[in-house]
């Protein structure tokens, strides 16, 4: 199984990097795990709607360049489907059973993801209506993927 997280922008915060590294190490027993960072598009604070679309499209192309045809793609989106940890675990297990051994999660930039990325995605997933920094979301997502594998292994970790 190959699990990849594509995130826009560089992760700078040491404490987030350490948390991700810990879960990545734990995950390595179950899957090949990698995080791919794509550069964020520099933009002024105040953007017109057209400029926002342009920024998302540029970041979106960078994301799409990192996705192969065979990958099953989840895009993280506020309007995506919320899942419990158990539901995500079951979905990952089912994907593996039916030949999807390459799973990619996409975390867009601060403006979200481009339409082209959303169209490429096989599913949209939401972690609720909270707005979280996308750097923190990498840690939360990595932990939830690890938790999914622990649930599928019948481990007491999830309790």
């Amino acid at each position: 199984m190959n699990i990849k997280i594509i995130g826009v922008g560089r992760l700078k915060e040491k404490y987030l990097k350490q948390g991700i590294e810990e879960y990545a190490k734990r995950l390595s027993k179950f899957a090949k795990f990698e995080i791919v960072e794509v550069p964020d598009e520099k933009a002024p604070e105040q953007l017109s709607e057209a400029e926002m679309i342009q920024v998302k499209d540029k970041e979106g192309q960078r994301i799409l360049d990192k996705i192969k045809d065979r990958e099953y793609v989840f895009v993280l989106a506020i309007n995506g489907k919320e899942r419990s940890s158990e539901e995500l675990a079951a979905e990952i297990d089912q994907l593996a059973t039916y030949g999807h051994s390459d799973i990619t999660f996409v975390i867009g930039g601060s403006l979200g993801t481009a339409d082209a990325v959303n169209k490429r995605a096989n599913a949209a997933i939401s972690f609720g209506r909270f707005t979280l920094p996308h750097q923190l979301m990498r840690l939360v997502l990595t932990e939830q993927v690890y938790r999914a594998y622990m649930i599928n292994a019948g481990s007491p970790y999830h309790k």
Side-chain angles (χ1 to χ4, degrees):
M1 195 76 173
N2 297 305
I3 302 287
K4 176 168 57 179
I5 296 174
I6 300 174
V8 174
R10 296 199 61 72
L11 190 61
K12 299 173 194 77
E13 294 83 354
K14 189 177 177 183
Y15 68 97
L16 293 175
K17 285 182 181 180
Q18 289 171 330
I20 291 167
E21 286 168 8
E22 176 61 30
Y23 288 114
K25 184 174 77 177
R26 294 179 188 189
L27 254 172
S28 68
K29 289 184 263 184
F30 303 102
K32 180 178 178 274
F33 176 76
E34 69 173 319
I35 292 185
V36 176
E37 293 180 334
V38 298
D40 54 350
E41 188 63 23
K42 301 296 176 229
E45 284 292 315
Q46 298 297 319
L47 295 173
S48 69
E49 190 67 33
E51 289 169 323
M52 279 190 225
I53 291 169
Q54 193 174 34
V55 167
K56 288 196 295 187
D57 286 348
K58 286 180 181 177
E59 291 174 349
Q61 190 54 57
R62 292 175 190 144
I63 290 167
L64 291 171
D65 288 346
K66 302 295 182 185
I67 299 173
K68 296 178 181 69
D69 288 344
R70 70 177 182 273
E71 294 174 21
Y72 189 94
V73 178
F74 287 97
V75 66
L76 274 67
I78 286 176
N79 61 353
K81 180 182 176 220
E82 289 186 37
R83 293 157 173 83
S84 67
S85 296
E86 294 86 356
E87 288 169 334
L88 180 61
E91 198 165 355
I92 288 173
D93 191 48
Q94 191 149 18
L95 286 170
T97 300
Y98 291 100
H100 293 286
S101 59
D102 297 298
I103 300 175
T104 297
F105 294 88
V106 174
I107 302 171
S110 58
L111 298 175
T113 50
D115 286 344
V117 173
N118 297 335
K119 283 184 177 76
R120 168 57 184 91
N122 299 90
I125 187 170
S126 173
F127 280 73
R129 293 178 23 208
F130 289 116
T131 300
L132 297 171
H134 48 275
Q135 296 91 341
L136 176 59
M137 199 61 233
R138 288 186 205 178
L139 174 58
V140 172
L141 177 59
T142 304
E143 189 281 334
Q144 282 299 301
V145 170
Y146 171 70
R147 181 177 295 271
Y149 277 97
M150 295 305 286
I151 289 168
N152 289 338
S155 166
Y157 174 82
H158 179 57
K159 303 291 181 233

